[in-house]
Amino acid sequence: MPSWSRFWQQLASRRVRRAWGLASDGQDWALMGLSFHKVMGVRVQAMEKITPTGLEHTAFGFGDGLMRVGVRARQRVSVALAADKVMAGVLELPAELPSDHWVSEVQLEVAQVLGLAPDEVNFDFKADPQGEGLLTRLHWVGCDQVHILALRDAVRTAGWQIGSVEPAWSAAHRAVSHLKGGLDSLLTQAPQDWQFDLTLDEDLGQRQGFGGAHAASDMLLTQALQSAAGPRLVASGLALKAWL
């Protein structure tokens, strides 16, 4: 089964002591650094708000801020893809079609929807676990590969390496799934006090942002994303991927 790691250029996972996530916060950017402790689990170690200086050489506006807080050369950071850069849809295929054909079918579907050539898109998909009968239902997300490459180049220019790129919703869902105290913690704790439990079940609603029937969970997460803590939640979810 394809995963974000395959299509969104995540590097091979490895045990790390600190991981970084970067998410858009309006005109600014939220940078979160999480650290791993064998006894205490994963917690927030660094939190930065990056404001564009107006002297940026790229359109994203985070370069100077990343250079300022860089802890060592070529530190890795994962970046969230804004909702307006991502398309989502559902593709129904004959149930008898082998799963190893799904990738090419989804790639063609995404390319058609975006009006691009198949090799110009980045995408991912997940089969609907409730699907049955004559059709297999695949929930997909995709974007123009140009945007991914532009993010990669902007991060490199700032002296960092890009670890992965994924939709903001997916990263936020991961963060909430492992946040000690769940969504309630967003109301009772400051972001710098957040702690994450890697042993918690990440499968809230049987999916990570690929649709489904759990409207109540979706509504709560949407509200959380619209709050002041939302971008930090996204950035934390991006960093958290390093240990999952």
Side-chain angles (χ1 to χ4, degrees), residues 126-162:
K126 190 171 184 178
D128 189 338
Q130 306 301 320
E132 57 183 26
L134 300 178
L135 296 174
T136 297
R137 185 174 292 106
L138 304 177
H139 298 269
W140 60 262
V141 289
C143 74
D144 189 334
Q145 190 181 81
V146 167
H147 192 70
I148 302 290
L149 298 178
L151 279 172
R152 180 200 64 187
D153 292 342
V155 168
R156 285 180 176 176
T157 299
W160 293 57
Q161 294 185 58
I162 200 160

Side-chain angles (χ1 to χ4, degrees), residues 87-91 109-110 113 124-125 137-142 210:
M87 293 290 291
V90 177
L91 176 63
E109 175 76 3
V110 174
V113 171
D124 193 16
F125 64 90
R137 185 174 292 106
L138 304 177
H139 298 269
W140 60 262
V141 289
F210 287 93

Side-chain angles (χ1 to χ4, degrees), residues 50 56-57 62-71 157-160:
I50 295 177
E56 292 285 342
H57 298 294
F62 54 64
D64 289 346
L66 282 183
M67 285 189 282
R68 175 173 54 82
V69 303
V71 293
T157 299
W160 293 57

Side-chain angles (χ1 to χ4, degrees), residues 133-225:
L134 300 178
L135 296 174
T136 297
R137 185 174 292 106
L138 304 177
H139 298 269
W140 60 262
V141 289
C143 74
D144 189 334
Q145 190 181 81
V146 167
H147 192 70
I148 302 290
L149 298 178
L151 279 172
R152 180 200 64 187
D153 292 342
V155 168
R156 285 180 176 176
T157 299
W160 293 57
Q161 294 185 58
I162 200 160
S164 65
V165 180
E166 67 177 298
W169 176 274
S170 178
H173 194 277
R174 180 184 306 116
V176 169
S177 298
H178 292 276
L179 181 63
K180 292 184 178 180
L183 283 171
D184 289 343
S185 296
L186 301 181
L187 302 176
T188 59
Q189 292 183 343
Q192 59 264 31
D193 296 326
W194 289 346
Q195 297 183 47
F196 300 90
D197 186 346
L198 301 180
T199 66
L200 294 178
D201 184 3
E202 187 175 331
D203 190 16
L204 291 181
Q206 304 297 314
R207 82 254 188 310
Q208 284 194 51
F210 287 93
H214 297 264
S217 296
D218 283 356
M219 182 178 66
L220 290 174
L221 185 53
T222 298
Q223 293 173 349
L225 286 173

Side-chain angles (χ1 to χ4, degrees), residues 30-51:
L31 179 67
M32 299 291 284
L34 304 186
S35 60
F36 174 81
H37 300 273
K38 185 177 295 186
V39 177
M40 296 179 288
V42 176
R43 57 176 53 196
V44 175
Q45 184 171 354
M47 185 173 68
E48 297 283 344
K49 181 177 182 179
I50 295 177
T51 299

Side-chain angles (χ1 to χ4, degrees), residues 80-143:
L81 197 61
D84 62 353
K85 300 297 183 182
V86 182
M87 293 290 291
V90 177
L91 176 63
E92 292 184 333
L93 297 173
E96 65 270 17
L97 185 69
S99 59
D100 55 0
H101 291 192
W102 293 355
V103 173
S104 58
E105 293 292 337
V106 173
Q107 184 175 17
L108 290 174
E109 175 76 3
V110 174
Q112 182 177 1
V113 171
L114 294 179
L116 299 169
D119 61 355
E120 294 176 340
V121 298
N122 277 47
F123 64 96
D124 193 16
F125 64 90
K126 190 171 184 178
D128 189 338
Q130 306 301 320
E132 57 183 26
L134 300 178
L135 296 174
T136 297
R137 185 174 292 106
L138 304 177
H139 298 269
W140 60 262
V141 289
C143 74

